[in-house]
Amino acid sequence: GKEREYWTTATNVGDALKELGIRNSGDAVLSASRSKAIGRDGLDLEMSTPKDIKLVVGGKRTTATVTARTVQEALREAEVRFDSDDRIKPGAKTVVKDGMTIRVDIIDTKGTKRVEAVPFETVVKQDSSLYEGTTKVEQEGRAGSRTSTYSFTYKNGDVVFSKRTSTKVTQQPVDKIVRQGTKARPAPKPKPAPAPE
């Protein structure tokens, strides 16, 4: 990633690298073959030297030695699979440096359907044919059901976000109907007087 200018009397790339004593040139990836001739006008040569990097992919740590220039190229060279949803730190176009850590968070989105109960309501109706304080169930309630679709976002296998995307009632609930008495109770009959002794 650094631009330098060298003067050499070597006639090819391989001899020039030996003559100049450039460190790590033996393992480097070159933009021209080592046997390529160097003319009187010189030669532009790109060289990527090996770099040891730390990888944290989906929460798992590994190391790799790469000659790639950018983070994206380094991940490909290290055979790390990723897609456009995944988060890469530092950015994919960042220049790779020896000893750097590259983090890839694997992001997945999955949908699922769930059947859920819809609770029934209780409706109370006043009934003048029943005494106050008494109730009678006219109709038992029954829960309905609905199907809801959820979207889950996972980061490295753990749910980090969930959202209900749609819901549809598949069976309507049936209300429970209770009749509540309003009729006044008759006055209690007087107790008979005690018999004389």
Side-chain angles (χ1 to χ4, degrees):
K2 292 176 184 170
E3 191 172 311
R4 291 187 183 138
E5 191 172 304
Y6 295 98
W7 292 90
T8 180
T9 56
T11 56
N12 65 49
V13 170
D15 290 344
L17 292 172
K18 281 181 200 166
E19 183 184 304
L20 297 167
I22 296 174
R23 203 168 51 105
N24 293 330
S25 66
D27 297 327
V29 173
L30 306 172
S31 63
S33 72
R34 292 176 190 279
S35 61
K36 175 145 177 107
I38 300 174
R40 288 183 175 273
D41 296 334
L43 174 73
D44 285 337
L45 177 72
E46 283 190 27
M47 179 173 76
S48 292
T49 54
K51 299 162 213 50
D52 293 325
I53 58 170
K54 295 172 192 131
L55 297 168
V56 182
V57 181
K60 295 176 184 166
R61 296 178 179 275
T62 57
T63 58
T65 300
V66 296
T67 55
R69 207 172 88 66
T70 66
V71 166
Q72 184 169 332
E73 292 165 3
L75 291 172
R76 286 205 181 102
E77 195 176 320
E79 297 181 1
V80 173
R81 293 175 185 255
F82 59 93
D83 61 33
S84 59
D85 293 337
D86 299 336
R87 292 192 192 129
I88 300 170
K89 285 184 184 176
K93 295 185 190 287
T94 304
V95 174
V96 175
K97 293 181 180 161
D98 194 45
M100 84 183 305
T101 299
I102 300 172
R103 182 180 184 90
V104 180
D105 289 322
I106 307 298
I107 308 297
D108 286 317
T109 304
K110 295 177 184 171
T112 186
K113 288 186 177 185
R114 291 184 184 166
V115 176
E116 303 163 335
V118 178
F120 59 82
E121 301 284 329
T122 300
V123 178
V124 178
K125 293 184 177 179
Q126 305 297 319
D127 189 336
S128 60
S129 67
L130 296 173
Y131 289 118
E132 286 179 336
T134 60
T135 58
K136 181 180 178 184
V137 176
E138 181 181 309
Q139 175 179 286
E140 288 293 344
R142 191 175 70 238
S145 62
R146 70 174 163 236
T147 302
S148 295
T149 304
Y150 290 88
S151 173
F152 293 95
T153 302
Y154 296 84
K155 177 180 170 184
N156 301 330
D158 297 324
V159 176
V160 291
F161 181 73
S162 64
K163 178 182 175 184
R164 183 164 53 190
T165 55
S166 69
T167 187
K168 181 181 179 183
V169 175
T170 48
Q171 185 175 357
Q172 291 291 342
V174 175
D175 290 342
K176 179 178 183 177
I177 300 173
V178 177
R179 295 203 169 273
Q180 186 174 45
T182 58
K183 184 178 178 181
R185 291 187 179 270
K189 292 181 182 176
K191 290 184 181 178
E197 294 184 21

